[in-house]
């Protein structure tokens, strides 16, 4: 009997994420209708589109939080749709941040950042605390280490969630509309952290409604509608001079302020 596939270290030229003819059904409803695209190492890809277009389902399939109906998803060359793949081992290379912060309310910030390090990565308490402190410094919240989530603003909680994901030393980060639940004045502080990650070379796949962020930070923008990729390309092309009428119609409905630069 074949044992679990051991994840391989990516070789030169291996995509960070490769999606091949991906379909996803929920009962009779087909949400993803044959998605194909690649995210290269150190690339930032922003996925945009109307609600219900399949963006979040696509992202959840990449981390196999949703089981694809058919097609393949390769993470640094490892096929996570292969039944013999050790999906948990592959997931350790992927950090994911959701709309909701999903922090443990009974743990302080340091507890939230160290629990998975110790239980999943088997790091010592000292090493876990050192890593957590470094990541809190990275997101500008080292002074909040002993606060509980209920005492933090929404923007601070989301930055803690990003720091928690970074504590696991991921090769790539997935962001699922992480600013959509925030008050407008808190959006900028979260986007600033994401922008710094992009500048440091983190591979990122970002589902977002923040067009300014996509235009300024993305290497490539993917526009989805009705479960398919309508068009993709550099932000200047997709956001500035879209080829497809459906893309133009979507962008025309985006508020003027969202097409500007993200808040400082």
């Amino acid at each position: 009997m074949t044992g679990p596939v051991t994840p391989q270290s990516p070789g030169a030229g291996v995509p960070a994420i490769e999606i091949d003819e991906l379909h996803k059904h929920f009962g009779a409803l087909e949400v993803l209708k044959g998605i194909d695209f690649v995210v290269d190492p150190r690339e930032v890809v922003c996925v945009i589109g109307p609600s219900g277009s399949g963006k979040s389902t696509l992202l959840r399939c990449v981390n196999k939080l949703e089981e694809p109906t058919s097609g393949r998803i390769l993470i640094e060359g490892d096929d996570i749709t292969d039944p013999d793949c050790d999906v948990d081992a592959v997931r350790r290379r992927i950090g994911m941040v959701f709309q909701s912060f999903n922090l443990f309310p009974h743990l302080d910030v340091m507890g939230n950042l160290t629990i998975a390090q110790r239980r999943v990565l088997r790091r010592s308490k000292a090493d876990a605390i050192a890593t957590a402190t470094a990541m809190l410094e990275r997101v500008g919240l080292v002074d909040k280490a002993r606060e509980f989530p209920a005492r933090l603003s929404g923007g601070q909680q989301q930055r803690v969630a990003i720091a928690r994901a970074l504590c696991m030393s991921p090769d790539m980060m997935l962001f699922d509309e992480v600013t959509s639940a925030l008050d407008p004045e808190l959006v900028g502080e979260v986007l600033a952290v994401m922008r710094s990650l992009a500048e440091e070379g983190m591979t990122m796949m970002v589902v977002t409604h923040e067009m300014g962020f996509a235009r300024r930070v993305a290497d490539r923008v993917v526009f989805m509608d009705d479960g398919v990729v309508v068009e993709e390309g550099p932000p200047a092309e997709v956001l500035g001079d879209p080829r497809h009428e459906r893309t133009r119609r979507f962008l025309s409905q985006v508020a003027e302020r969202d097409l500007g630069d993200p808040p400082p």
Side-chain angles (χ1 to χ4, degrees):
M1 183 174 177
T2 304
V5 174
T6 302
Q8 302 296 315
S9 298
V14 175
I17 302 168
E18 184 175 359
I19 300 169
D20 178 28
E21 197 59 25
L22 182 66
H23 291 258
K24 174 62 181 177
H25 291 79
F26 292 101
L29 178 64
E30 187 176 21
V31 177
L32 300 178
K33 304 175 181 178
I35 302 292
D36 294 286
F37 72 89
V38 167
V39 179
D40 290 322
R42 302 175 67 88
E43 187 178 26
V44 178
V45 175
C46 284
V47 183
I48 66 171
S51 297
S53 59
K55 307 183 303 295
S56 292
T57 299
L58 171 62
L59 206 68
R60 292 173 66 85
C61 284
V62 168
N63 206 15
K64 220 179 178 188
L65 296 176
E66 295 287 355
E67 186 73 33
T69 303
S70 64
R72 297 195 312 153
I73 301 169
L74 285 78
I75 303 297
E76 298 176 328
D78 292 306
D79 185 356
I80 64 169
T81 57
D82 185 331
D84 292 326
C85 183
D86 185 346
V87 174
D88 288 337
V90 176
R91 278 200 189 115
R92 289 174 197 151
R93 305 183 216 151
I94 307 171
M96 187 160 183
V97 185
F98 302 87
Q99 293 181 42
S100 54
F101 318 126
N102 294 329
L103 300 177
F104 295 115
H106 64 290
L107 297 178
D108 63 14
V109 166
M110 184 59 68
N112 269 280
L113 268 61
T114 55
I115 186 170
Q117 292 188 70
R118 299 192 67 190
R119 293 188 179 181
V120 178
L121 300 182
R122 303 297 181 187
R123 285 178 181 157
S124 68
K125 181 178 180 179
D127 285 347
I129 290 174
T131 299
T133 301
M135 293 306 104
L136 286 173
E137 289 176 348
R138 194 171 185 178
V139 302
L141 289 174
V142 71
D143 59 323
K144 303 296 184 182
R146 293 304 172 187
E147 295 284 3
F148 284 83
R151 293 179 56 84
L152 303 177
S153 70
Q156 289 171 335
Q157 289 187 63
Q158 196 61 289
R159 283 189 283 158
V160 170
I162 294 172
R164 179 176 59 182
L166 293 173
C167 281
M168 305 301 284
S169 305
D171 293 345
M172 63 196 72
M173 291 285 290
L174 310 179
F175 294 92
D176 186 10
E177 298 187 0
V178 296
T179 61
S180 64
L182 300 178
D183 292 333
E185 64 268 22
L186 302 178
V187 168
E189 64 191 53
V190 175
L191 294 183
V193 170
M194 295 169 65
R195 189 162 60 243
S196 70
L197 289 176
E199 290 168 353
E200 292 165 16
M202 174 65 76
T203 303
M204 294 165 57
M205 187 171 170
V206 184
V207 170
T208 185
H209 289 297
E210 301 290 342
M211 298 299 113
F213 175 84
R215 187 173 65 178
R216 184 172 178 178
V217 177
D219 297 300
R220 187 155 43 96
V221 173
V222 175
F223 174 67
M224 287 183 62
D225 187 37
D226 195 28
V228 300
V229 173
V230 176
E231 67 177 294
E232 61 178 295
E237 292 180 9
V238 176
L239 300 179
D241 188 23
R243 300 186 305 273
H244 292 265
E245 172 58 29
R246 182 64 189 94
T247 314
R248 290 193 291 269
R249 197 163 67 247
F250 169 76
L251 292 173
S252 72
Q253 296 168 354
V254 177
E256 180 78 23
R257 64 175 181 81
D258 290 332
L259 288 170
D261 285 337

